[in-house]
Amino acid sequence: MAKLYFRYGAMNSGKSTGLLQAAFNYEERGQRVLLAKPATDTKGERDVVSRLGVTREVDVLIGAGDSVEALFEEAAATAPEPVACLLVDEAQFLQPLQVDELLRLAVEHGVPVLAYGIRTDFRTHAFPGSRRLLEIAHSLEELKTICRCGRKALFNGRRIGDTFVFDGDQVAIDGVEVHYESLCAACYLQESGGRLA
């Protein structure tokens, strides 16, 4: 039976790089993969973007109200060979019902689904897609990165300029004004003045 995998980590833990490496591994063995990401992730527009400079266009861009199963079936029908794996970047931006569809794709369609994303936002609150993946994925794997102090990073601090902020919309994509820093619990608490939410 195929499985739904959730590979999660703080910002800069190599999630997109890992996804691109998984795609390369499948294709090196002559197997077809589909890459998908939520339309919410506007960084790179239709591309998966790795910090290492590697990019690749996705096959499926998932809108907030889209059926992942319908998009998968449409994309899978475009080539004669079957899909060996579905790789989903920025899975935290999926809706819970879309995550349920990922499980059905794995179980009912027999296609392994590897979803990559961050667990919590800059306020330490779970993203709805991540929460659902943590609840139903067959396999959970934490991808690790380090904080500026050298300890394991758990949280994502949001900065505007040089100032950390702890209020605002859950989603703000990296850009000119907004940046993120992976922080351990101690550094996060120090920057937030001891608050977690």
Side-chain angles (χ1 to χ4, degrees), residues 53-120:
V54 180
T55 63
R56 178 170 167 173
E57 187 174 350
V58 297
D59 303 290
V60 178
L61 199 58
I62 305 165
D66 290 344
S67 165
V68 175
E69 286 180 283
L71 291 171
F72 172 83
E73 289 168 1
E74 181 181 322
T78 62
E81 61 274 350
V83 174
C85 183
L86 173 62
L87 300 159
V88 182
D89 197 32
E90 304 292 354
Q92 72 272 7
F93 296 138
L94 294 173
Q95 301 300 313
L97 291 175
Q98 292 172 325
V99 173
D100 292 350
E101 290 183 282
L102 294 180
L103 180 68
R104 282 197 293 277
L105 284 172
V107 174
E108 296 174 358
H109 294 256
V111 176
V113 178
L114 283 67
Y116 293 78
I118 58 178
R119 189 177 51 161
T120 60

Side-chain angles (χ1 to χ4, degrees), residues 28-59:
E28 186 178 46
R29 288 157 184 81
Q31 297 184 359
R32 182 171 181 237
V33 299
L34 287 180
L35 272 64
K37 77 173 190 175
T40 304
D41 177 29
T42 56
K43 182 179 63 201
E45 296 182 21
R46 287 193 59 94
D47 292 339
V48 171
V49 178
S50 164
R51 286 183 305 126
L52 299 181
V54 180
T55 63
R56 178 170 167 173
E57 187 174 350
V58 297
D59 303 290

Side-chain angles (χ1 to χ4, degrees), residues 140-172:
L140 302 172
E141 179 183 347
E142 183 181 17
L143 304 176
K144 297 172 179 68
T145 191
I146 59 171
C147 178
R148 60 188 174 201
C149 70
R151 291 185 284 242
K152 177 183 156 188
L154 295 174
F155 303 118
N156 305 297
R158 179 184 285 175
R159 288 186 294 115
I160 297 178
D162 292 333
T163 304
F164 281 93
V165 295
F166 299 91
D167 295 306
D169 293 336
Q170 186 173 50
V171 177

